[in-house]
Amino acid sequence: MIIMKRISIICIVVMCLWGTPVYAEQVHRVAAGETLSSIANSYGITIDTLLGNNQYVVNPDLIHPGLVLIIPDANRQYYLVRPGDTLSQISQRFEVPIPMLANINNIRNIDLLYVGQILIVPKMYTVEAGDTINSIAQKLGVEVADLLLENNLSPSGPIYVGQKLVVPFRSKDREELDAIENTLSPIANRFPDTFFFRGEPDGLRVALTFDDGPDRVETNAVLDVLERYGVPATFFLLGSNIPGHNDVIARLVAEGHVVANHSTTHPDFRTLTEEQLRNELLTVENAVYDVTGLRTALMRPPYGFVNDDVLRQISNLGYRAIQWSADTKDWRDKDIDQVLINTMPNIRDGSIILMHDYLTQSVTKEVLPEIIHSLRSQGYSFVTVDRLLGVNAYKP
Ligand SMILES: [Zn+2]
């Protein structure tokens, strides 16, 4: 009996080690009495790693119960640069070659580290006797292809005992933030008064935005939550959803939210004629005007698709285009923890957060209190997009 038990315990342990996907991230909700250090300990990670994956946490002393922390996958670790640190010391401490550290962290000048800088530090694996590429991948719980790619190896090896391999890690948050910055910054630079995807860091402010409504059930549910917490937000309305929802639009404005334009039929604006693009915006603008007496001046391009031509037309019609820098993917994932995992690691001072009040099966209203509580307890305030950006929400 005891032996049976021991075998089954071993099986469970082995399953945990071998069967748990190490890429998996998870949500930790802070309980009373917990500290960053106790939380990091309980997951076997460092405080640096915990903070590195939750960069919205700017006040480590304000870790209140209910605060949401995203625990990164087991192969991801971070290091916060301390006074006097050099890349060479960090390289030695973690046994990661300097060029690899510099490359992963986009460091051009290895002498220019700054205190508080958050570095991604890959984990290393030392090849043992009897290892093959396949067995290592299995042992680490990673894809063979990722292991080969990360280490510039061919499928036939060769590998040797004692060789140090980089454990592949996924840093989706960084990749996504980098991708957003790299793609959208040049557009924002070309159209500084027309195109925005985030605000400047300034006193911990973020803007919640909701697309594709109005919807009688979902918009009202979101409004109930925002009312309960006293949080203003910006709603990009879809014209095809407006008929029959004038009361919902009136409620939006009455409760201090900003109403904005998300087109009439949700087309890719890059494929439209000038006349079609104008009609897409004007139909919604007129419908909103009929209910509220306000003429929308902010728009969100469907799918975020724009080009220079589209932006020039938008500007000529008296509009500013508002993209986002943190995407909840609530419409796709419809799962509270996954939405938090998608969102929290990407939030920074000035973030524009993309959510939906249409076809999300209520995940949005359920996840909102946790996002609001977490950010507020860190000292963030919520503002409408026009205030975040210092522009007008409506035409004069
Ligand atoms: Zn949309």
Side-chain angles (χ1 to χ4, degrees):
M1 197 53 198
I2 289 171
I3 291 172
M4 283 289 288
K5 219 177 203 173
R6 191 163 293 161
I7 287 173
S8 62
I9 287 171
I10 289 169
C11 285
I12 289 169
V13 169
V14 168
M15 273 170 60
C16 284
L17 289 176
W18 286 59
T20 309
V22 287
Y23 288 154
E25 298 167 273
Q26 51 184 315
V27 173
H28 179 87
R29 295 173 171 86
V30 175
E34 283 188 323
T35 62
L36 277 183
S37 142
S38 73
I39 296 164
N41 270 333
S42 71
Y43 290 96
I45 59 176
T46 63
I47 293 180
D48 282 14
T49 294
L50 192 54
L51 287 174
N53 202 50
N54 294 276
Q55 291 182 38
Y56 85 89
V57 176
V58 288
N59 291 307
D61 298 333
L62 301 176
I63 304 298
H64 296 305
L67 186 107
V68 166
L69 295 169
I70 308 303
I71 310 301
D73 75 57
N75 291 342
R76 200 186 317 176
Q77 63 183 341
Y78 293 89
Y79 178 75
L80 271 61
V81 176
R82 272 92 172 153
D85 276 345
T86 65
L87 208 56
S88 150
Q89 288 168 345
I90 298 167
S91 151
Q92 282 172 17
R93 181 174 332 171
F94 291 99
E95 297 182 14
V96 179
I98 290 179
M100 193 174 287
L101 272 178
N103 184 35
I104 286 174
N105 293 287
N106 298 321
I107 298 172
R108 295 216 181 94
N109 182 344
I110 63 166
D111 296 325
L112 281 184
L113 292 183
Y114 58 90
V115 173
Q117 185 173 2
I118 296 169
L119 301 179
I120 297 174
V121 183
K123 288 191 179 171
M124 308 297 287
Y125 174 81
T126 308
V127 178
E128 295 166 2
D131 274 347
T132 65
I133 292 286
N134 283 317
S135 73
I136 295 171
Q138 200 178 11
K139 210 183 284 188
L140 298 172
V142 301
E143 305 283 342
V144 171
D146 290 343
L147 188 62
L148 294 173
L149 187 69
E150 202 68 62
N151 292 282
N152 288 322
L153 291 170
S154 70
S156 51
I159 52 172
Y160 55 89
V161 174
Q163 185 177 1
K164 299 221 180 280
L165 300 178
V166 176
V167 178
F169 66 97
R170 287 182 187 175
S171 177
K172 283 188 227 128
D173 56 321
R174 278 287 182 102
E175 283 164 17
E176 189 174 314
L177 262 190
D178 286 351
I180 286 175
E181 277 288 340
N182 294 339
T183 331
L184 301 188
S185 282
I187 307 176
N189 289 338
R190 280 202 302 283
F191 294 89
D193 198 40
T194 302
F195 182 84
F196 302 83
F197 66 102
R198 56 166 168 72
E200 293 301 318
D202 178 21
L204 297 182
R205 299 181 310 159
V206 295
L208 293 175
T209 64
F210 297 88
D211 285 12
D212 299 345
D215 181 82
R216 180 153 306 283
V217 174
E218 297 207 25
T219 308
N220 277 318
V222 164
L223 284 174
D224 290 345
V225 177
L226 297 178
E227 187 180 26
R228 178 153 29 108
Y229 289 89
V231 165
T234 307
F235 290 77
F236 291 89
L237 305 186
L238 187 60
S240 56
N241 281 338
I242 286 181
H245 294 112
N246 285 356
D247 57 326
V248 182
I249 297 175
R251 181 180 174 194
L252 285 167
V253 174
E255 297 186 358
H257 305 291
V258 161
V259 176
N261 196 325
H262 191 36
S263 83
T264 308
T265 65
H266 214 278
D268 176 350
F269 271 35
R270 299 169 304 181
T271 67
L272 303 183
T273 65
E274 262 192 71
E275 185 62 20
Q276 287 170 327
L277 191 152
R278 185 172 168 276
N279 285 336
E280 282 288 337
L281 291 179
L282 273 187
T283 308
V284 175
E285 180 179 321
N286 288 333
V288 168
Y289 179 78
D290 287 345
V291 180
T292 66
L294 299 166
R295 291 211 168 270
T296 52
L298 304 178
M299 64 82 66
R300 172 162 282 157
Y303 319 101
F305 290 160
V306 291
N307 57 29
D308 287 13
D309 206 32
V310 165
L311 287 171
R312 269 188 289 273
Q313 292 177 53
I314 286 170
S315 174
N316 288 340
L317 292 166
Y319 276 89
R320 291 185 162 97
I322 313 292
Q323 217 92 298
W324 57 87
S325 58
D327 187 352
T328 59
K329 302 186 180 77
D330 51 355
W331 60 274
R332 186 192 71 189
D333 293 332
K334 300 183 175 70
D335 173 84
I336 294 179
D337 280 13
Q338 190 55 52
V339 168
L340 290 170
I341 288 167
N342 298 341
T343 311
M344 300 313 286
N346 283 344
I347 291 182
R348 305 283 187 275
D349 186 7
S351 284
I352 296 175
I353 302 168
L354 170 62
M355 308 187 87
H356 296 81
D357 54 338
Y358 185 58
L359 297 182
T360 67
Q361 290 172 8
S362 85
V363 70
T364 307
K365 71 166 187 199
E366 284 169 24
V367 80
L368 264 176
E370 292 201 275
I371 293 177
I372 293 169
H373 172 72
S374 297
L375 291 172
R376 273 210 173 140
S377 59
Q378 275 295 305
Y380 290 81
S381 57
F382 292 86
V383 293
T384 49
V385 152
D386 54 309
R387 288 192 56 199
L388 182 75
L389 303 173
V391 300
N392 290 325
Y394 303 106
K395 294 178 180 174

